[in-house]
Amino acid sequence: MPLPTVILPGYLAGAIDYRRLQQQLTEAGYPTVIVPLLKRDWVPTLGGRSMLPILERLHETVTQVLQDYNAPQINLIGHSAGGWISRIYLGEHLYDVHGVQANRTYTWNARSWVSHLITLGTPHTSFERWTRTNLDFVNLTYPGAFYADVNYVCVAGKAIYGERRPGSWLAYSSYQLTCGKGNCWGDGICPIESAHLAGAENLTLEQVRHSPRSGGLWYGSLEVVPQWMSYLA
């Protein structure tokens, strides 16, 4: 039987946005649970602050899933920011860039519980000042597909070319903030080169946009999921 799967939503997204993806994976034989976040759960993280509240909810969910399924490991899917937050969760180094409070956990060393980390449209790099503190910690501490005992699968979408013209301006601006240049391909929010990691299994999917609210196909669309789902096997 495949390992159970946990989905960590993207920034400012709630679990409700991933219900169809959860259902599709479960019906395909991959039992799936979503970290039960509401949009308001992200409020304490605004302005580049600590992702500790999200990491704590992720850990609670993973612990419960391991117990409920009596499983030795899980597969972890992180959409958008959920991908790089998951990279923090895997590691053994203290996540202390925002300071440390007594009686709270700042390292989880969760890689022994995670078989595959699949990131969907994750901006693994950023030039935006609000996210640099967190992402610099991730990329300096755990560069690339850092742990050899974790299978990293990084999925990018190729749907919109960033240009300074109507219809492509948002993509251009987002790509520029993420990878330093706007004239490139991506999913409308995350450029391809930022969605991939050195040493990972890197996939690029045609006509796939960033989120379920982007319009058209996204990573969790019925037609798209089979293109990366096999890595959960």
Side-chain angles (χ1 to χ4, degrees):
M1 179 177 176
L3 295 173
T5 293
V6 172
I7 299 174
L8 179 60
Y11 194 58
L12 297 179
I16 193 171
D17 295 322
Y18 301 85
R19 295 299 187 199
R20 290 185 180 179
L21 174 57
Q22 176 193 32
Q23 181 180 3
Q24 184 177 355
L25 292 176
T26 300
E27 289 177 352
Y30 305 103
T32 302
V33 175
I34 310 167
V35 179
L37 295 173
L38 300 173
K39 291 183 179 180
R40 65 172 178 261
D41 293 325
W42 293 92
V43 171
T45 74
L46 294 176
R49 286 179 283 179
S50 175
M51 291 295 164
L52 190 61
I54 307 302
L55 286 156
E56 289 173 339
R57 297 295 298 279
L58 172 60
H59 182 61
E60 290 170 3
T61 304
V62 169
T63 301
Q64 189 64 51
V65 167
L66 289 170
Q67 177 180 320
D68 289 348
Y69 287 91
N70 192 27
Q73 289 184 304
I74 62 156
N75 290 318
L76 181 55
I77 297 173
H79 173 235
S80 194
W84 61 257
I85 295 170
S86 296
R87 291 168 62 200
I88 298 175
Y89 182 61
L90 296 179
E92 77 261 35
H93 297 284
L94 200 68
Y95 175 53
D96 59 356
V97 291
H98 298 279
V100 174
Q101 303 172 29
N103 302 316
R104 295 189 77 173
T105 299
Y106 288 85
T107 182
W108 296 268
N109 197 18
R111 74 179 191 272
S112 62
W113 306 325
V114 177
S115 174
H116 286 71
L117 171 62
I118 299 179
T119 67
L120 306 175
T122 291
H124 290 293
T125 62
S126 179
F127 285 82
E128 186 180 22
R129 66 190 183 97
W130 298 116
T131 55
R132 283 289 298 273
T133 299
N134 284 315
L135 271 169
D136 283 355
F137 170 82
V138 175
N139 289 318
L140 292 173
T141 310
Y142 312 111
F146 188 74
Y147 289 112
D149 50 351
V150 176
N151 299 288
Y152 293 76
V153 181
C154 298
V155 187
K158 184 181 180 183
I160 300 176
Y161 188 81
E163 296 181 278
R164 291 180 171 178
R165 63 176 180 81
S168 298
W169 180 255
L170 174 61
Y172 179 92
S173 301
S174 183
Y175 298 166
Q176 190 171 50
L177 283 172
T178 304
C179 71
K181 60 183 181 183
N183 296 114
C184 57
W185 283 98
D187 62 14
I189 297 296
C190 181
I192 292 171
E193 64 183 79
S194 294
H196 288 167
L197 279 177
E201 182 77 30
N202 291 312
L203 310 178
T204 300
L205 307 183
E206 297 288 336
Q207 301 304 316
V208 172
R209 299 194 177 206
H210 187 72
S211 78
R213 301 180 187 277
S214 299
L217 299 176
W218 81 288
Y219 300 98
S221 292
L222 185 66
E223 308 93 321
V224 175
V225 173
Q227 297 181 59
W228 56 263
M229 183 174 63
S230 61
Y231 290 95
L232 297 173

